Amino acid sequence: MERTDRTVLNAAPGAGVAADFRGNDSSLLSVLKTLLFFTFLMIALPIGLYFGTKSFVFEGSLGMSNRDSYFYAAIVAVVAVHIVLALFVYVAWNEGSKQWRSGKQD
């Protein structure tokens, strides 16, 4: 009796769960495309908005000093990062529930 308990305890954690979650290639490719898109957006959007708003909006249109434009452009970039993160969470949440619903149908 004691020996069988040891084999159960020594089993790999999550071995049964890993075998159940094997998505098809199209779902994995879709997840990878989504991740790469939001990775690019996370890098390009804040940097582009920072330099764009600093040069054209705050210094060009509003006539702010160089020091003030750095501060306000950084705020715009941080807000952009938060928006991209919120969009990623929203898309990932809906993508996961969509895959769960389609896999759940009998």
Side-chain angles (χ1 to χ4, degrees):
M1 180 82 173
E2 186 176 321
R3 185 169 209 153
T4 58
D5 290 339
R6 284 186 193 161
T7 57
V8 171
L9 292 176
N10 291 334
V17 176
D20 290 340
F21 181 73
R22 292 188 184 198
N24 56 10
D25 290 338
S26 65
S27 68
L28 294 176
L29 186 61
S30 172
V31 169
L32 183 62
K33 284 181 182 179
T34 303
L35 182 64
L36 289 176
F37 172 74
F38 279 102
T39 300
F40 174 75
L41 205 62
M42 179 65 79
I43 293 170
L45 189 68
I47 293 173
L49 281 176
Y50 175 79
F51 288 110
T53 56
K54 181 187 175 307
S55 298
F56 300 116
V57 176
F58 296 122
E59 288 178 0
S61 298
L62 299 176
M64 290 184 172
S65 69
N66 195 16
R67 178 179 260 179
D68 289 338
S69 65
Y70 282 133
F71 179 72
Y72 291 115
I75 290 174
V76 170
V78 168
V79 168
V81 166
H82 283 85
I83 289 171
V84 170
L85 282 174
L87 284 173
F88 175 71
V89 169
Y90 176 76
V91 168
W93 183 269
N94 285 337
E95 186 176 83
S97 65
K98 179 176 63 174
Q99 289 174 356
W100 180 74
R101 277 185 266 140
S102 66
K104 181 113 173 151
Q105 294 174 354
D106 292 329

